[in-house]
Amino acid sequence: MEKHTKQIAAVVFGGIAFYFALTQFSVLMGWLGRLLAIFLPVLVGGVLAFFLNVPMSGIERGLQKVFASRKKNGRRVRWTRPVSLVLTFLCIAAVLAVGVMMLIPELTRSVMGVYEEIQRSLPGFFRWMQESGFDTGLLETQLAGMDFQLLMEQLAGINYRELLSQMASGAGNVLGTVMGAVSATVSVFTTALFSLVVAIYILMDKENLARQFQKALRAYLRPAYADQVLHVCSLTRETFSRFLSGQVLESLILGGLMFLALSAFRLPYASLIAVLTTVCAFIPYVGAFLSCGVGVVLTLLADPMQALLCLVVYQAVQFIENQFIYPRVVGSSVGLAPFWTIVAVLVGGEALGVLGMIFFIPCTAVVYTLAREGANRRLARRSAAEPSPAEEAPES
C-alpha cells in the first residue's frame, strides 16, 4: 500500500512539474542559467581535470615505477602526485612555448613576404590598368583640382555645438562598451582561475572523490543501476584516455615528419606548416585538408614554382602516416568502425563545430560499446530462454 501511494505521489508531482515547465519555460530557463553560472567554475574545473588526468596519470605511473623500491607497506610514494601534477603543467607550458616560438617568427616572415610581394606586384597592376584603359591618375587629378574656397565654405557651415554633443554621446557609448568588455574579461579570467583551482583539488584528491561518488550512488540507487552508472563512467574515462593519448602522440609524430620532409626538400615555411599540421591533426578529416591548403598557399606566395612540390610532399607524408603510423598509434583505440567515425564527425561538426568533430568520436565510441553490450545481453537471454533442439525433439 505504501509503495502504491509513493507511485501515485510521484506521478502527481511529476505532472505538476511538467505543467510548470511548459507554462513557465522562460522562468525555468532563467533559473537554470543562473544555476549554471553559479556552478560554472566547478563544471569547467571538472572537465579540465578529466583531460589533465590523462597525462598526469601516465607521469605518475612512471614515477611510481621508478621509485617502486621506496614504497612502504605497499603504499604509494606520496610526493609523486604533486610532482606529476607540476610536471603535467610544465609539459603543457613547454609545448605551448615551443609552438609559439616556432609560429610567431614564421607568421611574421610570411606576412612580410606577402607585403613585399604586393609591393612588387603593384606597378605591374597599375600598368595593366593603364593598358586596359583605366585612368589611374583620376583620383590625383580630383584632389589637385579641389576648390579650396568650397572646402572652407563647407567647414564654416558645420554646427560645432551639435558635433561636440554627438561626440560626447558617442564617447559615453564607447566608454560603456569598454567597461562592459573589461567586466566580461575580468569575469572570464576569474572563472578560469577558479576552474583551475577546482581542477587541481580534484586531481590531488581524485581517489577520495571517486570513493565518495560511489558511496552516494550505492546509497541512493539500486545496486543494478549503481553498477551501470559506474560502468558507464569507467568506460567513458578509458575511452577518452585512449583517444587523447593516441591522438596527441599521432599529431606530434605527423608534425615532426612533416617538418623533416619539408626541410629536406628546402621548402619555405617548413616549421609553420609543421606546427599547423600538428594542431589541425586533432580535427578528423578536415584538419588535413586545411593545413595542406594553407601550406600550399603560403608556398605559392613565396615561390610559385615550389607550390606543386609542397602539395606532393605533404600528400606523400600524409599517406605514409595514414597507412603505417596511424593504425599502429591510434588504430582501433576507441573501437569504432570507419563508418561510425564519419557519422560522429558529421554530427559533431553540425552540433558543436570543431570541438564536436573532435570529441564526438570517443562519445560515439562509448554509446556504441554500451549498445553492443546491451544487444549481446539481450541475445544471450533470448538464446537461454529458447529451448534447445534436443528438448524440442519428440520422444520416440
Side-chain angles (χ1 to χ4, degrees), residues 264-282:
F265 285 91
R266 299 184 181 278
L267 292 171
Y269 309 117
S271 57
L272 175 60
I273 298 174
V275 173
L276 186 62
T277 302
T278 304
V279 175
C280 292
F282 284 91

Side-chain angles (χ1 to χ4, degrees), residues 196-208:
L196 183 61
V197 173
V198 170
I200 291 174
Y201 274 101
I202 292 175
L203 291 172
M204 291 298 295
D205 198 24
K206 55 184 179 180
E207 287 85 6
N208 188 31

Side-chain angles (χ1 to χ4, degrees), residues 22-35:
L22 290 179
T23 56
Q24 304 292 332
F25 184 75
S26 59
V27 177
L28 180 62
M29 294 304 296
W31 289 354
L32 291 178
R34 284 192 288 270
L35 188 64

Side-chain angles (χ1 to χ4, degrees), residues 45-59:
V47 174
L48 185 61
F50 181 79
F51 290 112
L52 289 177
N53 184 57
V54 176
M56 177 182 166
S57 298
I59 295 174

Side-chain angles (χ1 to χ4, degrees), residues 160-338:
Y160 290 99
R161 180 175 299 178
E162 183 180 354
L163 180 61
L164 290 176
S165 177
Q166 293 178 357
M167 291 178 61
S169 177
N173 295 332
V174 171
L175 182 60
T177 304
V178 171
M179 292 301 296
V182 171
S183 177
T185 304
V186 172
S187 177
V188 168
F189 276 107
T190 304
T191 302
L193 180 61
F194 278 104
S195 301
L196 183 61
V197 173
V198 170
I200 291 174
Y201 274 101
I202 292 175
L203 291 172
M204 291 298 295
D205 198 24
K206 55 184 179 180
E207 287 85 6
N208 188 31
L209 293 175
R211 185 172 59 253
Q212 292 174 356
F213 178 70
Q214 294 180 13
K215 185 177 180 180
L217 282 179
R218 298 190 183 280
Y220 293 100
L221 294 180
R222 294 180 181 179
Y225 295 159
D227 292 338
Q228 186 66 22
V229 171
L230 292 175
H231 174 64
V232 172
C233 294
S234 177
L235 179 63
T236 303
R237 180 182 60 82
E238 293 175 1
T239 303
F240 270 85
S241 297
R242 292 196 302 266
F243 174 76
L244 291 176
S245 301
Q247 198 68 33
V248 169
L249 182 59
E250 187 268 341
S251 300
L252 293 176
I253 293 175
L254 179 59
L257 288 177
M258 197 66 64
F259 176 74
L260 293 176
L262 296 176
S263 300
F265 285 91
R266 299 184 181 278
L267 292 171
Y269 309 117
S271 57
L272 175 60
I273 298 174
V275 173
L276 186 62
T277 302
T278 304
V279 175
C280 292
F282 284 91
I283 308 174
Y285 302 106
V286 180
F289 293 102
L290 178 63
S291 55
C292 179
V294 174
V296 171
V297 170
L298 290 176
T299 307
L300 183 64
L301 293 174
D303 189 354
M305 301 303 296
Q306 290 185 320
L308 181 61
L309 179 60
C310 176
L311 177 63
V312 172
V313 172
Y314 193 99
Q315 293 301 322
V317 175
Q318 190 74 41
F319 176 80
I320 294 173
E321 189 270 341
N322 288 335
Q323 297 297 322
F324 302 103
I325 299 175
Y326 190 87
R328 296 180 180 274
V329 176
V330 180
S332 57
S333 60
V334 295
L336 202 60

Side-chain angles (χ1 to χ4, degrees), residues 24 65 89 94 101 104 106 152 195 199-200 270 320 348 368-369 382:
Q24 304 292 332
K65 290 180 181 179
F89 283 113
M101 290 173 61
I104 290 180
E106 290 291 340
M152 294 301 295
S195 301
I200 291 174
I320 294 173
Y368 177 81
T369 303
R382 184 176 298 177

